[in-house]
Amino acid sequence: MCGIVAYLGPKPAFPIVIEGLKRLEYRGYDSAGVAIIESKGSLPDELVVRKKKGKVSDLLEHIGDEKLTGNIAIGHTRWATHGPPNDVNAHPHRAGTDRIALIHNGIIENYSAIKATLNQRGHSLLSDTDSEVLAHLIEEMMFGSELDLFDAVRAALKQVVGAYAIVVIDKNNPTRLIAARKSSPLVIGMGEDGAFYVASDATPIVSYTKNVVYLEDEEIASLDLNEGLRIRTITNGEVTPEIHALEIELESIEKAGYEHFMLKEIFEQPQSIRDSIRGRINLKLGEVKMAGIDDHWDKWENASRILILGCGTSWHAGLVAEYLLEEFTRIPVEVEYASEFRYRNPIIRPDDVVIAISQSGETADTLAAIKTAKEAGAHVFGVCNVVGSSIARETDSGAYTHAGPEIGVASTKAFTSQIAVLSMIALHVGFRKGCLPRERFTRLLTELNGIPELVETVLKQADAIDEIASKFDKAENALYLGRGYQFPVALEGALKLKEISYIHAEGYPAAEMKHGPIALIDDDMPVIFIAPRDDVYEKVVSNIQEVKARGGRLIAIVTEGDKDVAQIADHVIEIPKCVDALAPLLSVVPLQLLSYRIAVLRGCNVDQPRNLAKSVTVE
Ligand code: G6P
């Protein structure tokens, strides 16, 4: 949610910042901007700001042939919170004297009070944003209190309530960047040539350096070509920077010949699931290795309840996990939207185990919910994809999904990797607790280990799914229905369709259809049933008949060889036979492909759907 990038070093800064913005565009894309300090030889340096509503490409068009030269620049791609997406509200923001420029990700909650005070003191603010007040506040600290930039930023941040990741430059200090964060991520890259990079995540940095420092909450960093990197807390405490090695590779954040990141990521699933289970399942020994659980086994063994927290697709993975964990561990499970959980005075007990699921590891609501759970004494286990992310660091222990970078805003491979990891957790805990007999445990592990090949089989039907998609791209609504393990898949299928094609879609438990959604069914209504041959198959077939009787256009996801549903449905997509508990890993794949192709046929921007952002770092 908003992408931040900055460069300071020996190279021309503008191309590096633009390249970084393109990589970060999945975080927000309603406006983009850069600020650069241009050296004017014997004349004073100039702070040049160029910003534009729209995408990075619109910014580049706006800049045209103008040469923006300089070795220090900041860039921003915005997901609007305060004020509509327009040129004025785009970042960077300057303060009155045109000396400093600032980019911000997050929300300054007390901005209107600060703005009123600034107005009274004669500042004139141009935008509707909360961010601009920070630029003015910093400027006031510099001139009013004669603080240097670092201390001025620190003093200004002390007055701020809310979340921020900011980078500030001062044209009188062209060898220095100031960066600070609270509840919004920032990574600092340290180039071998002495250059500094700052970004919301590592994707703009990885092509230049693998040495990074993750800024922690309420820390402020001075990146200075002469003095190096210095970090302090907002309250001026000493911090020793810890350098980490980035694990992502450049190829993993490029499209590799695919039309879109989403399609690439759908096709990566056999590999990403393999990566999620690699080193964790040992079929020879018949065991799962998960240090994050084993090192805290007393918590799991004595857990009276498992509470799962997440948002969006991660919440759907949590629902699948509820079925898995209750079936295999017999521990009661509750799944909560992190955003609701944190504001409703929830009951949390010290013998609760909380599983927080997040692809990005930065979702503000999930992060805040974790803090609530920790304060109440619960043990918090993270299932994150992004290594080193805030949630991964905030949790007591956890397991990375290792799906690799997911760039498409609609989550695909992260979802299946989350389910793969959550399946391993359920099987491991169930076995260790004695709820799962060895023979069944080993059989399930073997099945899970074989899932990547089965996903490959599903992907081979992509052309047939495209053909089906071409019959539904004019739809205005769609209903997704499933039961048992397939109910969360129905929710996820509907979410995928609405996110990227803007077709209104709902997911429902198939049996609940009779209590409302059946009223929507007419000859035009596409109804997608997820109906593999599982425990509730017969029941779902009855539900399919009920829709058929009312004229719905039926697509069904079925187990290969199914003849019964094939006779009723207009279109069927087969998935290989597999145990009920693992079938979501297969059945969601055709739904991803269907949504993808429908969105492409409708001319939608699949990787960057309107109004959405990949990583929601504001409440
Ligand atoms: C956003 C993304 C979704 C994602 C959700 C939760 O809405 O667009 O794809 O599922 O955030 O994100 P997380 O990173 O916590 O899984």
Side-chain angles (χ1 to χ4, degrees):
M1 182 137 296
C2 294
I4 278 184
V5 62
Y7 173 80
L8 166 64
K11 297 190 193 119
F14 180 70
I16 294 175
V17 165
I18 289 293
E19 197 52 43
L21 286 183
K22 287 183 186 159
R23 292 211 191 280
L24 286 179
E25 209 167 22
Y26 69 91
R27 299 177 69 90
Y29 30 82
D30 53 42
S31 53
V34 290
I36 188 161
I37 300 176
E38 291 202 292
S39 166
K40 297 283 174 192
S42 54
L43 296 169
D45 289 350
E46 207 173 300
L47 177 65
V48 180
V49 174
R50 296 288 176 263
K51 50 190 193 172
K52 196 73 198 152
K53 176 183 172 182
K55 296 184 177 289
V56 178
S57 54
D58 296 303
L59 172 70
L60 287 174
E61 203 176 301
H62 169 65
I63 292 172
D65 293 337
E66 186 185 7
K67 295 269 165 291
L68 295 177
T69 51
N71 301 98
I72 174 167
I74 56 179
H76 188 268
T77 170
R78 179 169 186 245
W79 186 88
T81 58
H82 293 63
N86 58 30
D87 296 354
V88 178
N89 289 337
H91 297 220
H93 289 286
R94 273 176 289 197
T97 58
D98 273 355
R99 229 185 95 170
I100 64 164
L102 165 145
I103 46 177
H104 168 226
N105 170 25
I107 291 182
I108 309 296
E109 288 169 13
N110 58 340
Y111 89 103
S112 55
I114 299 177
K115 191 171 181 171
T117 320
L118 286 167
N119 282 334
Q120 272 170 13
R121 291 194 207 127
H123 289 257
S124 67
L125 283 80
L126 307 174
S127 76
D128 310 312
T129 66
D130 52 335
S131 314
E132 192 188 3
V133 300
L134 205 45
H136 282 259
L137 205 54
I138 292 166
E139 185 198 65
E140 197 172 84
M141 296 293 165
M142 283 175 78
F143 302 126
S145 315
E146 293 190 0
L147 298 172
D148 84 332
L149 184 64
F150 184 78
D151 288 325
V153 174
R154 207 168 57 72
L157 291 176
K158 276 166 116 180
Q159 296 190 25
V160 155
V161 177
Y164 54 79
I166 58 165
V167 184
V168 189
I169 53 175
D170 170 8
K171 79 170 174 189
N172 291 2
N173 277 293
T175 58
R176 195 180 194 198
L177 287 168
I178 305 294
R181 76 157 266 183
K182 183 183 175 197
S183 305
S184 294
L186 267 192
V187 188
I188 296 169
M190 320 271 289
E192 276 176 14
D193 55 359
F196 292 111
Y197 305 81
V198 186
S200 299
D201 65 42
T203 50
I205 295 178
V206 64
S207 39
Y208 304 106
T209 177
K210 295 240 162 151
N211 294 333
V212 296
V213 173
Y214 297 101
L215 212 56
E216 299 285 344
D217 264 359
E218 304 204 37
E219 284 183 357
I220 170 167
S222 167
L223 302 97
D224 191 307
L225 287 183
N226 306 313
E227 294 170 7
L229 171 67
R230 185 161 61 95
I231 303 181
R232 298 189 86 86
T233 63
I234 299 297
T235 50
N236 211 18
E238 206 58 72
V239 177
T240 311
E242 209 178 299
I243 297 182
H244 297 262
L246 277 182
E247 283 173 17
I248 55 171
E249 298 298 331
L250 189 57
E251 305 81 70
S252 66
I253 55 171
E254 295 187 329
K255 278 193 207 151
Y258 282 90
E259 207 184 334
H260 295 99
F261 279 111
M262 182 180 177
L263 189 62
K264 174 185 173 229
E265 287 155 6
I266 292 172
F267 274 87
E268 276 174 349
Q269 288 177 110
Q271 190 53 44
S272 50
I273 298 172
R274 239 171 241 130
D275 291 341
S276 301
I277 58 184
R278 173 176 305 120
R280 288 174 169 153
I281 293 182
N282 187 328
L283 287 181
K284 270 197 198 128
L285 298 175
E287 66 175 24
V288 171
K289 269 208 187 110
M290 293 192 102
I293 291 180
D294 295 331
D295 294 350
H296 302 268
W297 178 243
D298 58 316
K299 302 283 182 195
W300 292 84
E301 189 173 30
N302 302 315
S304 64
R305 177 177 69 152
I306 295 174
L307 202 58
I308 301 181
L309 303 172
C311 299
T313 289
S314 295
W315 183 76
H316 293 159
L319 290 180
V320 177
E322 177 181 22
Y323 287 75
L324 288 162
L325 286 158
E326 290 200 341
E327 176 168 356
F328 298 126
T329 71
R330 306 307 296 151
I331 304 171
V333 178
E334 281 172 44
V335 190
E336 296 256 11
Y337 284 116
S339 53
E340 286 299 310
F341 176 80
R342 56 183 293 205
Y343 285 122
R344 63 165 186 78
N345 194 10
I347 297 167
I348 312 161
R349 295 177 297 242
D351 59 355
D352 283 337
V353 167
V354 174
I355 303 180
I357 308 174
S358 176
Q359 186 285 128
S360 62
E362 301 294 347
T363 302
D365 284 319
T366 310
L367 197 51
I370 289 170
K371 287 180 181 156
T372 307
K374 274 179 79 178
E375 275 158 26
H379 175 73
V380 185
F381 184 92
V383 176
C384 295
N385 191 36
V386 178
V387 175
S389 55
S390 302
I391 293 176
R393 287 177 291 135
E394 189 68 34
T395 41
D396 297 308
S397 69
Y400 282 118
T401 49
H402 296 307
E406 190 180 67
I407 311 288
V409 165
S411 184
T412 53
K413 65 174 181 172
F415 178 69
T416 44
S417 279
Q418 286 166 343
I419 296 178
V421 168
L422 292 159
S423 305
M424 283 184 289
I425 295 172
L427 297 179
H428 184 49
V429 175
F431 179 63
R432 276 197 76 171
K433 271 177 71 79
C435 302
L436 200 51
R438 170 161 287 285
E439 195 259 334
R440 188 166 177 227
F441 172 65
T442 317
R443 193 154 28 88
L444 285 161
L445 280 189
T446 311
E447 288 234 18
L448 180 54
N449 201 51
I451 287 288
E453 281 75 64
L454 302 187
V455 174
E456 268 160 21
T457 314
V458 179
L459 289 169
K460 288 195 182 121
Q461 298 177 72
D463 290 346
I465 294 170
D466 285 355
E467 186 58 35
I468 298 173
S470 69
K471 299 190 167 57
F472 290 86
D473 63 315
K474 306 284 181 306
E476 284 171 15
N477 297 286
L479 195 57
Y480 286 72
L481 299 171
R483 284 180 96 142
Y485 278 102
Q486 300 302 334
F487 161 52
V489 177
L491 293 178
E492 176 60 10
L495 178 64
K496 288 292 85 91
L497 188 70
K498 67 186 140 195
E499 276 182 312
I500 59 170
S501 73
Y502 318 139
I503 294 173
H504 169 245
E506 280 191 63
Y508 245 80
E512 275 294 306
M513 169 191 72
K514 292 194 282 299
H515 303 289
I518 199 162
L520 299 169
I521 292 168
D522 59 16
D523 296 353
D524 280 339
M525 178 66 130
V527 183
I528 298 97
F529 269 97
I530 305 121
R533 270 205 182 263
D534 57 14
D535 268 3
V536 286
Y537 173 75
E538 304 295 343
K539 308 274 174 210
V540 177
V541 173
S542 305
N543 300 141
I544 298 177
Q545 294 282 18
E546 289 153 10
V547 170
K548 181 75 177 175
R550 287 160 181 84
R553 300 163 68 201
L554 281 165
I555 303 174
I557 313 293
V558 298
T559 304
E560 60 194 357
D562 187 307
K563 296 275 182 293
D564 302 345
V565 176
Q567 277 176 8
I568 319 169
D570 301 300
H571 308 277
V572 289
I573 303 166
E574 293 191 339
I575 57 170
K577 200 172 160 7
C578 95
V579 64
D580 297 5
L582 301 177
L585 287 163
L586 305 181
S587 59
V588 75
V589 177
L591 302 184
Q592 297 166 343
L593 285 167
L594 198 62
S595 302
Y596 169 78
R597 189 51 63 191
I598 289 175
V600 169
L601 289 170
R602 289 165 72 91
C604 300
N605 186 339
V606 172
D607 282 335
Q608 294 170 353
R610 72 178 176 215
N611 302 338
L612 294 178
K614 182 79 185 151
S615 172
V616 181
T617 54
V618 295
E619 285 185 36

